[in-house]
Amino acid sequence: MILPSLAAVLAMSAGARAPAPDAESDAFAAAFTLKKVGKSAEAAAAFEAIVKTYPASARIGEALVEAGVGWFGVGRDKQVFHRSTPDSDKAFDTALKLFARVATDRPDDPSAGRAQYMRGSTHLFQGDLAGAEADYGRVLEKFSNDTKYVAKSLERRAAVRRHLLQSDLALADLQRYQKDFPKGEESKAVAQYIQFVSMFEKPAPPLEAEAWIQGGPLSLESLRGKVVGVYFFATWCENCAKEQSFVLDIEQRYAPAGLALVGVLDHSRGQTADSVRAYLASNKIGFAAMMDRGRTTPAYHGSTIPDLVLIDKTGKTRWHDNPANLADYTIETLLGEDATPLSPSKPK
């Protein structure tokens, strides 16, 4: 079967003659093809065309949610350093309206739980942590029969609560996930996050360096009064390279306010003190960096890279995750814990 083009799908909503009986299925197939190849804007337009063309369809909720997912993808693409821009917020706000047309207006639709979950994810990427926490909570309260998105919402709400530095609440969500969904698709990640959270509010393990490549020697004791970011990465790591500009931006933005980054590398894949030193110089990485003697990484339960641990001014571990997941609220709260607490709402 030949799938209709995007133009054909859009034409359906512009007054074209009545579609053939199987045209709706073909339109969905064409729209999903656009989604599959990462054409978020085109997929959003195709699903919106389906909504206009088939307003009485049994799949209208699905089409609305998929249109929202397309706009969500557009918003992600328009972010800079994982932060929202006016263009990304415009796309995210469009997605939120589409999700609300299902989660709020069609609560009995099979896609309603997913729509509510996506509202939480949209607010999360906008930096609206309070909104995200509430949205994920609504999935648990109102769509408890949708076990797939209840599980996802538990894991995501735990992440939001880690961003909010609510360790006890985050741990409760993670433990509930383990109890209710022991074989869930996020079970491995949940087990790792439980390890991370178990270290929160406790003194951070020492930095046991084999050698300091630059900026040292340092100890956590010598850095008291600063927020310390222990950054685990490697010269050969492609994902580390993808996040390098973001990590350097974090240092540039927050070092004047009291952030101290410490890089931790090891001898994996032939890394040596000399090769690391050359890498740091060629990539203009100026923060302190050490070679791990094989004790620091396991002490922090590090198993993947890139990885970032935030230690507060008193030397306690407070946050741990991929640096790409770091919310401004989290680091700014740690930097200003003696000041007026920040609002976890969407930045203005």
Side-chain angles (χ1 to χ4, degrees):
M1 179 174 61
I2 299 176
L3 300 180
S5 66
L6 173 60
V9 174
L10 295 176
M12 294 176 188
S13 65
R17 61 183 179 179
D22 63 347
E24 179 184 338
S25 296
D26 289 351
F28 267 98
F32 276 116
T33 296
L34 292 168
K35 175 184 177 180
K36 185 176 181 180
V37 298
K39 295 184 177 181
S40 298
E42 292 90 339
F47 283 113
E48 287 179 320
I50 291 172
V51 172
K52 293 177 182 178
T53 307
Y54 306 99
S57 170
R59 300 177 68 184
I60 196 71
E62 179 186 5
L64 284 165
V65 173
E66 290 294 350
V69 170
W71 282 110
F72 174 79
V74 173
R76 291 288 309 276
D77 291 341
K78 292 185 178 297
Q79 288 188 304
V80 177
F81 292 144
H82 308 301
R83 300 185 186 98
S84 284
T85 64
D87 284 343
S88 69
D89 270 337
K90 183 177 180 181
F92 284 142
D93 288 343
T94 300
L96 287 170
K97 291 175 183 177
L98 288 163
F99 296 140
R101 288 176 64 181
V102 183
T104 303
D105 300 343
R106 300 169 177 267
D108 295 326
D109 190 279
S111 295
R114 182 185 180 208
Q116 185 63 51
Y117 168 81
M118 286 304 304
R119 282 185 61 82
S121 296
T122 305
H123 280 132
L124 176 58
F125 279 96
Q126 282 188 303
D128 183 357
L129 300 179
E133 183 182 28
D135 284 328
Y136 291 134
R138 289 189 188 100
V139 176
L140 306 180
E141 296 167 4
K142 296 185 177 182
F143 305 102
S144 58
N145 291 331
D146 191 338
T147 56
K148 178 177 180 179
Y149 287 98
V150 166
K152 286 179 173 292
S153 294
L154 271 175
E155 189 277 325
R156 286 291 79 199
R157 189 172 71 172
V160 172
R161 287 173 165 178
R162 294 201 310 277
H163 294 320
L164 292 169
L165 303 173
Q166 299 171 347
S167 302
D168 290 345
L169 292 177
L171 181 60
D173 279 347
L174 294 168
Q175 290 174 332
R176 178 178 168 185
Y177 185 105
Q178 277 196 327
K179 178 178 179 293
D180 293 348
F181 307 100
K183 296 183 179 180
E185 60 183 72
E186 299 296 334
S187 56
K188 183 176 180 181
V190 165
Q192 183 179 50
Y193 288 134
I194 287 176
Q195 284 188 318
F196 293 168
V197 176
S198 70
M199 296 180 64
F200 293 175
E201 312 294 342
K202 298 176 183 177
L207 303 174
E208 298 197 44
E210 174 186 329
W212 283 93
I213 308 304
Q214 63 184 27
L218 294 173
S219 66
L220 293 181
E221 288 77 12
S222 70
L223 294 170
R224 290 287 165 79
K226 290 182 175 291
V227 173
V228 180
V230 182
Y231 177 49
F232 298 89
F233 71 112
T235 61
W236 49 262
C237 170
E238 292 183 2
N239 288 331
C240 301
K242 290 178 182 178
E243 298 304 328
Q244 180 175 293
S245 294
F246 176 56
V247 172
L248 293 177
D249 181 69
I250 290 173
E251 185 195 27
Q252 182 179 10
R253 294 179 71 205
Y254 294 120
L259 172 69
L261 277 184
V262 178
V264 178
L265 305 97
D266 58 28
H267 291 285
S268 59
R269 303 196 187 183
Q271 294 182 119
T272 66
D274 288 340
S275 68
V276 168
R277 187 175 293 108
Y279 177 87
L280 297 177
S282 65
N283 286 275
K284 299 180 180 179
I285 297 174
F287 52 78
M290 55 169 263
M291 299 292 290
D292 185 14
R293 67 171 63 192
R295 297 179 182 175
T296 304
T297 300
Y300 282 90
H301 297 299
S303 59
T304 59
I305 51 175
D307 203 19
L308 180 67
V309 178
L310 293 181
I311 300 167
D312 68 17
K313 296 176 182 180
T314 69
K316 294 179 180 178
T317 304
R318 300 289 295 280
W319 187 86
H320 186 168
D321 207 331
N322 187 307
N325 296 330
L326 177 62
D328 285 352
Y329 171 86
T330 305
I331 192 167
E332 290 173 7
T333 298
L334 291 173
L335 287 166
E337 282 193 318
D338 295 333
T340 302
L342 300 173
S343 168
S345 298
K346 177 179 174 181
K348 302 296 183 183

